Amino acid sequence: MSETIIERVSVNYKNLSSKFTETTTDYNKQYCAIYLARLKEMEILLRERIEIKWGDRFPVYDSDTLFMEDELQRYQLLGALDGKKLVTGITCALLGSDMGMGKFMVEDYVFADYRPQVERPLMNEDVFVIFLSGIDFLNHQNFISNLELFTHWISGMLGDESTISRIARIIIAGNSIRTVAEKKKVTMMMTSRTQESLEAIEAVKAFDYFLLQLCELVDVDVMPGEHDPSNHILPQKPMHYCMFPNSCVYKSLNQVSNPYFCSLDNLKIFGTSGQPVMNVMRFSEITDPLEVLENCLHWSHLAPTAPDTLGCYPYYEKDPFIIKGVSACLFRWKSATIFYQNGARLDFTPLRRPDGQKVRLICIPEFCNSFQAVVLNLKNLDCSSMVFSACK
Amino acid sequence: MDSATEDLYFQKLQEFVQDEDKIVTVASFAADRGISIQNSRKLITKYAEDQRKLKSDELAVTYVLTGVLKDTGARGVFMVKEEDLERKQELFENELYKLIYSIQKCRHINFNIIALVDMLDATKIREKALEGSVVSKNCVKRILKVKKSTPPPPPTVKGKSSFFEPKPGTSIGPVKSPEKKRQEPSKNDHKTNGSASITGMFKAAAAKSNQQNSQRDSSSNGVAAKSKSGMDSGIKSEKLSAASSDLKDNVRDDEIVEIMDDEVTDTRKEEKVSSKPDKKKRRRDKSQDVPSKRRKRIVERNDSDSDDMFERDDNEDIVERSDDEPDRIPSPVNEKKLPPKNKRRKAVEKTYTDEEGFVGKELFYSQ
């Protein structure tokens, strides 16, 4: 009585996150170097934008470029620029006049804007990618049934096998172990080291078994989140495979970095676990994380507040957070296709580029609260959510 | 699936649900019986229907509804109890899947406990996914490479061997066989002779062949045997002997005499050379040692004494004496109490007056 196993669709996968994982352990460099590298790269992009927008009517002065920001070399910007929706670290070109007394009247401005997009491949059939985030295995005993429903649905046990067989990949976008920071007890000890609690260790074990169930069925990419056992500053390194002894045996398990950049059948997907968007919202008056994601695309930078208010590695010669050639998906626990984690509800927006191409921004909700996963169709970038509920 | 096999599975289900009061889910039954999830679902569905006909109240069933929700347009997967089934179906669009999820005897249903059944089953490591699952091509196990153990480090202390002893038959490092050790002086002989003369080569080959007597194999030429360590030298000796036979035919009588003389002198040299290592290894004979001066025991005997030499042992001084050395008189030793090492002596200055009336100062060290 042997049944044939139904095969799942497969796509050409490439992990393009090497620029986030190839870091040395040298933390002795100054952080100003990353600003210099950022300025150097953005200057090329901005000059293109200047030429498109203003042509050669206005000269571009190299001396206008600020290499250091201190009390003496800071200009107060006045005019047509809303500073409340901008954060430190954005590179832009300003058209205006020097009013003296350290003030600059802005008449117009331009950011690096969308980069040239790689043409989206044409797909004949539907291919789906599932996004999950904020599973919070520390408290998973409250929603075991929801997790099991998700696992059984992925296996095809709950019907609709034709759709299930078109699911190519699952991306778990961070905060799988816990979603809030661990409360540290106040002690008189001089050392700040805290021991990992038994609950966290049990949560990691449970997450390992959950991954084992998924890895038997489909390719899984696991990103570390802000509160996961990985390094704190960006880019976060992939979680170590020794924590997942049962699931790491499978080739389908992929421990990836945060931010994460990959290609599925030449469709570029770029995202983070939420820290950059949260940081921009903290230091600006933008309340909608989708708007933050859209602005990130306009600024051509995924984490503009790094390293000022968002911890990051002291890069010396490059800035890996500059967005180059993202084609379709920018997900973040709350953003379409640049997925961004940690949202209360699913938000997604199709972004129309000036050249007519589409970018999907996705905000992925926390599974522990909403019991939702996001389903993205790579054929037409349509996005929908999937709810797994145990009705009581 | 034939009816006989079905009956067996139904019996098993009866045993699980009614006798053992277990919660049986589609996944756990498929894993337990080794059948596909589709067959497992069919069996459980048929069992539940049959039980409904026989005894309607003695079975609690849990269902899963999958479809598009009317209010949000999102897709939903809902786990519902039997009594809520109709109410929950109204939340979905017309096209939805209604599938059985689990059965149990107890009427009280707890979804978390039902999920625990599958979760505990998932902790058992399986070779592959359940039959009938939708599986990706890349979902295969990695081939783990076995680490090769590194060889033990060489002994660093002279005379002491490594803690780890090599297995017999495996060579860890360069192993010197005793034959090779024997070979070394012969090789040195080659070097020491260093003569470009052909006779020197012949003698060296002859010396080697003498040393390898125990391991020689008789060959057709009657040349020295081929041993493991002396393979090359054996081959060389063969070549040399062949060359010598050729040369001897061409050499004149005068030269033969010279060769003979050279051979004699060379043999003497060889003896000297060969004797050197023997000298080093030769044990020192005790007889050759210079006798050290020993004190002899002097026993003074009186005429009236008995023949028993040890009669007055208690009274006699048994310490060895010699006439040359004078008797030692033990000197009185003033035992001074030495101050403890950890304590320092304090230097105290005291004034005193001498006989003439002069005042002086003196340092005293207090203990």
Side-chain angles (χ1 to χ4, degrees), chain B residues 115-314:
Chain B
L116 270 175
V117 171
D118 287 334
M119 205 180 84
L120 289 169
D121 184 61
T123 55
K124 298 170 194 172
I125 307 299
R126 292 189 290 255
E127 282 299 315
K128 55 179 182 178
L130 291 173
E131 281 187 43
S133 303
V134 182
V135 179
S136 174
K137 278 183 199 174
N138 200 33
C139 296
V140 291
K141 290 191 178 179
R142 297 174 204 270
I143 299 168
L144 300 173
K145 288 182 183 178
V146 179
K147 267 189 179 179
K148 288 182 185 176
S149 59
T150 53
T156 51
V157 181
K158 283 185 182 178
K160 282 191 179 180
S161 63
S162 175
F163 183 77
F164 300 102
E165 290 180 357
K167 285 183 184 176
T170 58
S171 60
I172 296 166
V175 178
K176 285 186 179 178
S177 63
E179 295 158 328
K180 278 193 177 179
K181 286 180 182 175
R182 280 182 226 161
Q183 289 288 315
E184 283 169 5
S186 65
K187 284 182 183 176
N188 290 332
D189 288 341
H190 282 290
K191 289 177 185 175
T192 52
N193 288 333
S195 59
S197 66
I198 298 163
T199 50
M201 287 160 64
F202 298 155
K203 284 162 201 169
K208 271 192 185 177
S209 63
N210 289 330
Q211 287 174 4
Q212 294 172 13
N213 271 330
S214 58
Q215 294 178 357
R216 277 181 190 172
D217 294 329
S218 60
S219 64
S220 57
N221 297 329
V223 187
K226 300 165 193 176
S227 63
K228 272 189 183 179
S229 55
M231 266 297 265
D232 295 334
S233 57
I235 292 166
K236 279 181 187 173
S237 63
E238 282 181 25
K239 287 180 183 175
L240 286 167
S241 61
S244 66
S245 62
D246 293 330
L247 282 166
K248 279 182 180 175
D249 294 331
N250 298 324
V251 168
R252 292 178 296 170
D253 295 337
D254 303 332
E255 291 175 352
I256 290 169
V257 171
E258 289 177 357
I259 289 165
M260 291 296 288
D261 291 334
D262 291 337
E263 283 178 358
V264 169
T265 53
D266 286 333
T267 50
R268 282 178 190 170
K269 282 181 186 176
E270 279 179 13
E271 283 172 1
K272 287 179 185 176
V273 169
S274 60
S275 62
K276 277 179 187 175
D278 295 336
K279 273 187 181 176
K280 286 179 186 175
K281 291 182 183 175
R282 189 178 59 188
R283 282 186 183 181
R284 286 181 66 189
D285 294 332
K286 286 186 179 177
S287 59
Q288 294 179 8
D289 289 344
V290 175
S292 59
K293 288 185 180 178
R294 282 187 182 181
R295 288 184 181 177
K296 288 184 181 177
R297 188 167 179 167
I298 297 167
V299 179
E300 293 178 352
R301 290 183 70 185
N302 295 324
D303 292 337
S304 59
D305 288 340
S306 60
D307 292 333
D308 189 6
M309 289 175 68
F310 302 101
E311 196 177 17
R312 293 179 185 176
D313 276 349
D314 296 334

Side-chain angles (χ1 to χ4, degrees), chain A residues 8 157 219 248-249 387 391, chain B residues 41 77 111 134-135 138 142:
Chain A
R8 198 178 288 278
M157 198 178 87
D219 289 290
C248 74
V249 182
V387 181
C391 301
Chain B
R41 189 168 53 235
V77 179
F111 293 122
V134 182
V135 179
N138 200 33
R142 297 174 204 270

Side-chain angles (χ1 to χ4, degrees), chain A residues 242-300:
Chain A
C242 71
M243 290 193 288
F244 310 101
N246 298 309
S247 53
C248 74
V249 182
Y250 280 90
K251 287 183 181 179
S252 46
L253 180 68
N254 226 0
Q255 296 285 358
V256 298
S257 62
N258 171 33
Y260 177 42
F261 187 30
C262 69
S263 161
L264 297 173
D265 274 351
N266 287 328
L267 197 88
K268 302 286 190 298
I269 297 179
F270 195 17
T272 69
S273 294
Q275 296 99 314
V277 171
M278 293 284 287
N279 203 257
V280 169
M281 286 166 66
R282 199 172 288 148
F283 292 97
S284 68
E285 292 188 6
I286 304 172
T287 53
D288 185 12
L290 270 179
E291 190 181 338
V292 173
L293 274 177
E294 192 176 341
N295 286 341
C296 284
L297 272 182
H298 280 297
W299 300 332
S300 268

Side-chain angles (χ1 to χ4, degrees), chain A residues 201-334:
Chain A
I201 295 168
E202 290 301 318
V204 172
K205 277 186 191 173
F207 184 42
D208 182 29
Y209 283 118
F210 174 72
L211 284 177
L212 174 65
Q213 287 180 273
L214 292 182
C215 290
E216 286 176 344
L217 306 165
V218 68
D219 289 290
V220 182
D221 297 340
V222 182
M223 292 171 64
E226 187 181 357
H227 306 295
D228 282 334
S230 179
N231 57 309
H232 176 71
I233 59 173
L234 290 183
Q236 284 184 288
K237 291 180 185 176
M239 288 191 279
H240 204 276
Y241 66 87
C242 71
M243 290 193 288
F244 310 101
N246 298 309
S247 53
C248 74
V249 182
Y250 280 90
K251 287 183 181 179
S252 46
L253 180 68
N254 226 0
Q255 296 285 358
V256 298
S257 62
N258 171 33
Y260 177 42
F261 187 30
C262 69
S263 161
L264 297 173
D265 274 351
N266 287 328
L267 197 88
K268 302 286 190 298
I269 297 179
F270 195 17
T272 69
S273 294
Q275 296 99 314
V277 171
M278 293 284 287
N279 203 257
V280 169
M281 286 166 66
R282 199 172 288 148
F283 292 97
S284 68
E285 292 188 6
I286 304 172
T287 53
D288 185 12
L290 270 179
E291 190 181 338
V292 173
L293 274 177
E294 192 176 341
N295 286 341
C296 284
L297 272 182
H298 280 297
W299 300 332
S300 268
H301 205 280
L302 193 67
T305 53
D308 183 38
T309 49
L310 180 67
C312 83
Y313 178 79
Y315 286 100
Y316 192 67
E317 291 174 357
K318 60 175 180 177
D319 185 354
F321 302 109
I322 295 173
I323 298 172
K324 295 175 188 173
V326 171
S327 70
C329 191
L330 197 62
F331 70 87
R332 192 201 143 171
W333 164 80
K334 246 187 189 178

Side-chain angles (χ1 to χ4, degrees), chain B residues 351-360:
Chain B
T351 56
Y352 68 96
T353 51
D354 60 5
E355 296 169 356
E356 293 174 7
F358 290 106
V359 177

